Amino acid sequence: MVLFCGVAQASEEAHKLSNDAPVLWNIDIPFWPGHSLPITNSLVMMAAAVVVLTLLLRLATRKMERIPGKLQNFVEWIFETLFNFVSGLTGKHLAQRYFWYFASIFLLILISNYMGLLPGVGEILYGHDPLLRGANADLNITLFLGLFYTLLWFVWCLREQGVKHFVLHIFGPKGGLSGLLKNLLLPVFFFVGLIEILSIGIRPVALAARLFGNIYAGEAILEQMLNISSNPLISALAALPFMCLEILVGFVQALVFLMLTAIFLKTQVGDGEEHHA
């Protein structure tokens, strides 16, 4: 009995979702001797999500027709819905200029979230480590997404506002004040600007932690439910409600990431039309 419990515990630990994604391969960097690029199982899954998204769009747009087929019509409906949604958040000008990013990041996060729920993910081994892992269950992946957006955010804000208006929007007086009151409140607005700078610095971490925490927790719970019994049927029935919940959570987290990134741009730039003019 003790031996059986020990074997069961060891098996459970072997399949436990770890905090750190294991490195499967190291690829040497030619122009940086002595350094290599680690390829983790979460990075493999993110690359697979990119391939799936690319193939889906290529199939839908390979033969564009005036009267679209089912796949083309479905993809057009998705992008039209997303564009209207982004336009409602940012205004039409910013949506037209940067919709390529918002649509791409939403679909990429959504597909990678759902691919992490596929059978075999976390179970197929490469050596002693799982070959595949939900991409957004790795903090490194989500942190990259947050940092990459922050870089784009700076570029877009400077393009839309210029350096002068960018700085004034953060540190300048608000509310159309003028005269003596404006001068008296300048130190207050400067202090508020410093808080805004801190907020901007926290944004990529907040985006990364929110996405990672929800996806990692969901996949960890699913894994526990699937190993709750030696009977596969009981384990499947126990995991079914959580699987349905994770399907909803995967969509919601992709939508939240899209909404937050769009709102961050909107609050800094406004509609963008006056600066563009």
Side-chain angles (χ1 to χ4, degrees), residues 83-160:
F83 182 80
N84 292 333
F85 182 73
V86 173
S87 297
L89 294 173
T90 64
K92 191 174 181 179
H93 170 73
L94 294 178
Q96 288 177 336
R97 300 199 73 178
Y98 308 116
F99 176 70
W100 61 269
Y101 168 80
F102 295 116
S104 299
I105 198 64
F106 172 79
L107 293 174
L108 184 61
I109 291 176
L110 182 66
I111 290 175
S112 59
N113 286 346
Y114 286 166
M115 288 182 65
L117 302 177
L118 293 176
V121 174
E123 298 296 329
I124 302 174
L125 299 181
Y126 180 83
H128 298 288
D129 298 316
L131 178 63
L132 300 173
R133 172 196 178 109
N136 296 319
D138 181 4
L139 185 58
N140 295 299
I141 297 292
T142 60
L143 187 58
F144 169 78
L145 296 178
L147 291 173
F148 181 69
Y149 167 74
T150 302
L151 176 62
L152 290 178
W153 180 86
F154 274 110
V155 173
W156 295 342
C157 290
L158 292 177
R159 177 190 295 174
E160 298 294 331

Side-chain angles (χ1 to χ4, degrees), residues 154-260:
F154 274 110
V155 173
W156 295 342
C157 290
L158 292 177
R159 177 190 295 174
E160 298 294 331
Q161 295 180 296
V163 177
K164 177 182 176 181
H165 286 93
F166 178 79
V167 175
L168 285 176
H169 186 275
I170 296 176
F171 294 102
K174 312 295 191 297
L177 297 176
S178 61
L180 179 61
L181 183 60
K182 172 184 175 181
N183 294 328
L184 289 175
L185 291 178
L186 281 178
V188 176
F189 288 123
F190 181 78
F191 179 73
V192 172
L194 294 178
I195 298 177
E196 180 68 16
I197 292 295
L198 179 62
S199 173
I200 293 171
I202 292 175
R203 285 175 187 175
V205 180
L207 287 171
R210 181 182 290 103
L211 180 59
F212 162 75
N214 283 278
I215 301 304
Y216 177 85
E219 293 191 9
I221 292 173
L222 271 178
E223 191 173 32
Q224 291 296 324
M225 292 298 103
L226 289 172
N227 294 322
I228 199 171
S229 172
S230 58
N231 188 319
L233 180 58
I234 295 177
S235 296
L237 291 175
L240 182 59
F242 296 94
M243 176 65 74
C244 296
L245 180 61
E246 282 308 298
I247 292 174
L248 177 61
V249 170
F251 174 80
V252 169
Q253 289 306 310
L255 190 63
V256 167
F257 198 98
L258 166 63
M259 290 176 60
L260 290 177

Side-chain angles (χ1 to χ4, degrees), residues 255-276:
L255 190 63
V256 167
F257 198 98
L258 166 63
M259 290 176 60
L260 290 177
T261 51
I263 290 171
F264 289 155
L265 181 63
K266 168 73 173 183
T267 54
Q268 176 66 30
V269 178
D271 291 333
E273 296 177 356
E274 63 276 8
H275 299 296
H276 181 66

